[in-house]
Amino acid sequence: MSKTYYVTTPIYYINDAPHIGHSYTTIAADVLARFFRAAGRDVHFLTGTDEHGIKIVKAAEEKGMGPRELADSIAPHFQSLWADLNILYDDFIRTSEPRHEQRVQAIVKQLVERDEIYLGSYQGWYDEGQEEFVTESAARDNEFKSAINGKPLVRFGEPSYFFRLTKWVPKLLAHIEANPGFIAPSSRRNEVVSKLKLGVEDLSISRLAEKLGGWGVPMPNDPAHTVYVWVDALSNYITATGWPSIGDEWDQKVGDKKFWPADVHLIGKDILWFHAVYWPCILMALGQPLPKCIFAHGWWTSEGRKMSKSLGNFISREVIEKLCVEYGRDAYRYFLLREVPFGADGDFSFENFKNRYNSELANGVGNLLSRTTNMISRYFDGVLPAATAGDMERPVMAAAAELRDLAAGAMEKCDFHQYLEAIFRLVYVTNRYIDDTEPFKLAKDDSQRQRLGTILNTCAQAVRVVLEFLEPFMPDLAGRGLGYLGGPAAVQGNLLERTSWPALAAGTRITKAEPLMPRKQ
Ligand code: ME8
């Protein structure tokens, strides 16, 4: 049986429509899922929506709707944007689904039985936008406003159930120490460790049900209380795998525990604490294995400033759709993961978008494919000539080998940058090889026929490797491009087998490519 690979995105709040931030994490997850599928792993890719909590109750009230009505109206926007961006998830979980709610209750019941939960009273500050408890000192440091959206914090005091978080912190610290890849990038790991060492308190994990109008998951031991939205939400990563088993159809659907623990939880940096501290401690208290990696990516600004609807620089769903119409959805997918190293903050600018499109896609990959297929159809009637490789071909073959050697390791580390750099090194080296060897001149001399064949064969092999490795990022264009180079089925096997040199057999049918990515003015 092949090795599994389980990747998740955060589940998104349904108080508002999706934007660039949501698309960023989801595209990254899709790229990982497509890569590992192509590499032959048994992949499970989970995304979904976070539908409970005070934030949703209030958003629904403001819109004059009930929370379920709001959830039912917004969740399809996420699903349709994912379809538009060619996201191939395996499961979309909504936290208001019975399969999830019932398993959250089963999880909390186990925690109660294991004496991990006790009744106390919460007095303090709450950030409703983030659904986050804020300590007195952090609240004071930020003038009692949310550090994320600047809105006033809310004071509340009520009886609440607490999870014995403090008990698990030493074990968590030991786990982080023993597993350097557990929290990535490493700068983020250091932040979490420093904050943990300052000390934490037990975690309030319930709110009074009456304050939420009954929306949410009732505490199984005391239905006057509702499970805190973050405990509910974090649990989705394991409830979606069919754990705990509760005797419904989902127990079998994804194969009990086959995919748990997750290989990577992809998240934004603002929600790292929940994922790197609360979630692993809850899992330890349940006796479950921990996810292998929690990767926190950076945030996007737009045209140099924080994104805001009032500033007019918000990259909304409508803006994303416009970019996809003008440049193609593959270009949007590519740009987000190419522009900044995953983990760092990035700035979105229309000018950079166009420049990258023109220089790397139109003039780089697109041009290489047209030159290669054009010459093969002109000089060899569209039949791939044989090659007798020599010293001149070595840099091209070396760049292809380097890409193939580092690809899986780069994807394991979510290092899209390193992976794409290696692709563009191969594109660059091959375009330069054409300039240096000047096949269009050799074509005029019949005695150079064999040499010309070698050069064009080498170019075709290189561009085939480029397209195979670009497929997870640019599935439409790679598919069309491979179509000109004998079609996807011209080479058999998994991704690594398909890219071992030389992939294409002499005699393969090559067709002159239409411009895949025309230059934009
Ligand atoms: O936090 N750039 O949901 P959410 C990059 N429901 N990423 C951004 C961004 C930006 N400008 N703005 C937001 C939640 N994000 C919870 C998650 S998971 C168990 C529960 C990212 O809809 C942000 O970092 O508020 C987060 O990862 C994601 O959008 C979802 O945010």
Side-chain angles (χ1 to χ4, degrees):
M1 218 172 65
S2 58
K3 213 171 147 197
T4 58
Y5 182 82
Y6 179 24
V7 53
T8 68
T9 72
I11 46 172
Y12 304 114
Y13 285 128
I14 44 83
N15 59 314
D16 221 340
H19 57 66
I20 185 174
H22 307 108
S23 75
Y24 187 39
T25 335
T26 310
I27 290 170
D30 188 54
V31 168
L32 292 173
R34 283 176 185 268
F35 175 85
F36 285 110
R37 260 184 228 124
R41 301 264 290 262
D42 186 1
V43 170
H44 194 64
F45 166 15
L46 173 72
T47 187
T49 42
D50 189 353
E51 306 191 348
H52 294 139
I54 192 76
K55 177 178 171 127
I56 304 305
V57 171
K58 289 209 162 165
E61 259 167 28
E62 278 163 23
K63 292 184 164 76
M65 295 170 144
R68 183 169 297 281
E69 203 188 338
L70 176 66
D72 287 346
S73 71
I74 302 282
H77 285 290
F78 283 91
Q79 288 163 328
S80 71
L81 179 58
W82 302 155
D84 290 349
L85 291 175
N86 210 355
I87 305 292
L88 284 185
Y89 51 77
D90 295 291
D91 191 5
F92 188 101
I93 191 165
R94 297 181 54 182
T95 53
S96 63
E97 287 176 74
R99 62 159 163 158
H100 173 74
E101 292 188 344
Q102 288 167 15
R103 284 186 173 80
V104 170
Q105 285 205 311
I107 284 172
V108 175
K109 194 157 167 280
Q110 284 195 23
L111 291 172
V112 171
E113 284 162 8
R114 287 168 172 250
D115 189 31
E116 296 290 350
I117 284 176
Y118 62 91
L119 184 62
S121 154
Y122 181 81
Q123 295 287 338
W125 297 100
Y126 196 71
D127 178 341
E128 288 188 341
Q130 286 293 98
E131 296 275 12
E132 182 172 11
F133 300 98
V134 182
T135 61
E136 189 65 37
S137 62
R140 202 173 322 108
D141 288 350
N142 218 39
E143 295 169 342
F144 303 96
K145 290 187 186 134
S146 164
I148 303 291
N149 64 17
K151 292 198 180 142
L153 298 176
V154 176
R155 179 94 196 158
F156 78 78
E158 61 187 40
S160 168
Y161 286 91
F162 284 81
F163 167 63
R164 297 186 195 283
L165 183 69
T166 42
K167 169 181 155 188
W168 293 100
V169 166
K171 232 181 139 185
L172 174 62
L173 277 166
H175 182 84
I176 296 172
E177 183 110 336
N179 298 276
F182 179 58
I183 303 172
S186 53
S187 54
R188 299 269 170 234
R189 177 181 64 231
N190 299 341
E191 278 171 28
V192 170
V193 169
S194 312
K195 198 168 157 194
L196 275 173
K197 286 187 174 159
L198 292 175
V200 296
E201 289 168 5
D202 283 347
L203 175 67
S204 167
I205 59 145
S206 69
R207 302 289 312 271
L208 285 177
E210 63 190 38
K211 298 216 170 139
L212 293 157
W215 184 241
V217 180
M219 289 288 284
N221 54 333
D222 185 350
H225 292 254
T226 301
V227 177
Y228 171 41
V229 63
W230 269 100
V231 172
D232 170 352
L234 289 163
S235 303
N236 93 89
Y237 301 130
I238 198 164
T239 64
T241 69
W243 191 89
S245 88
I246 54 168
D248 68 0
E249 89 223 64
W250 289 93
D251 283 357
Q252 300 309 322
K253 208 153 194 163
V254 281
D256 189 15
K257 293 188 75 172
K258 179 172 155 198
F259 289 106
W260 191 259
D263 288 82
V264 59
H265 290 322
L266 295 182
I267 56 164
K269 63 181 182 179
D270 57 316
I271 53 175
L272 178 59
W273 186 251
F274 302 96
H275 284 81
V277 177
Y278 300 162
W279 180 226
C281 288
I282 291 170
L283 286 167
M284 288 191 286
L286 290 164
Q288 291 301 310
L290 305 190
K292 289 175 209 148
C293 174
I294 296 152
F295 196 107
H297 65 65
W299 267 42
W300 287 92
T301 51
S302 167
E303 306 291 352
R305 303 176 74 171
K306 189 171 178 208
M307 267 202 321
S308 115
K309 288 182 184 156
S310 54
L311 282 177
N313 65 346
F314 196 81
I315 311 293
S316 62
R317 170 163 190 179
E318 288 69 32
V319 176
I320 298 172
E321 299 283 2
K322 267 196 206 142
L323 284 165
C324 291
V325 168
E326 191 176 351
Y327 293 90
R329 58 187 178 181
D330 279 3
Y332 178 75
R333 294 168 59 103
Y334 168 77
F335 178 80
L336 290 192
L337 295 173
R338 173 67 173 154
E339 181 70 357
V340 280
F342 204 55
D345 290 331
D347 184 51
F348 185 92
S349 112
F350 287 96
E351 200 183 326
N352 284 352
F353 192 104
K354 187 162 94 184
N355 289 345
R356 265 200 197 283
Y357 173 89
N358 278 336
S359 65
E360 293 172 3
L361 299 181
N363 294 353
V365 186
N367 188 32
L368 179 60
L369 176 70
S370 331
R371 293 170 100 181
T372 304
T373 57
N374 211 348
M375 287 190 282
I376 296 174
S377 52
R378 249 174 92 187
Y379 307 140
F380 289 92
D381 290 330
V383 177
L384 185 69
T388 324
D391 277 353
M392 287 295 277
E393 284 63 50
R394 229 157 253 148
V396 178
M397 289 161 71
E402 192 194 346
L403 166 59
R404 188 165 168 272
D405 289 347
L406 64 71
M411 286 300 198
E412 293 279 1
K413 290 183 287 168
C414 304
D415 193 343
F416 304 112
H417 228 65
Q418 187 194 23
Y419 181 104
L420 288 171
E421 286 281 333
I423 291 184
F424 281 92
R425 225 168 11 252
L426 176 57
V427 171
Y428 173 79
V429 167
T430 312
N431 267 325
R432 208 182 49 193
Y433 167 75
I434 299 180
D435 297 342
D436 291 348
T437 54
E438 300 185 309
F440 29 86
K441 284 197 184 151
L442 299 182
K444 293 179 189 139
D445 179 353
D446 264 355
S447 71
Q448 296 291 333
R449 205 69 198 141
Q450 198 185 348
R451 180 75 199 125
L452 178 65
T454 296
I455 295 168
L456 296 184
N457 179 297
T458 305
C459 294
Q461 305 292 353
V463 70
R464 175 106 198 171
V465 170
V466 164
L467 293 171
E468 289 277 15
F469 281 108
L470 260 187
E471 193 277 340
F473 294 82
M474 312 188 73
D476 291 337
L477 289 167
R480 280 172 58 204
L482 290 171
Y484 298 116
L485 294 166
V491 188
Q492 298 296 313
N494 68 34
L495 179 60
L496 292 183
E497 289 158 358
R498 292 199 304 269
T499 50
S500 84
W501 194 283
L504 280 173
T508 303
R509 189 92 231 147
I510 308 291
T511 333
K512 182 170 177 291
E514 297 297 321
L516 283 187
M517 291 169 278
R519 256 190 90 78
K520 301 280 176 193
Q521 288 314 312

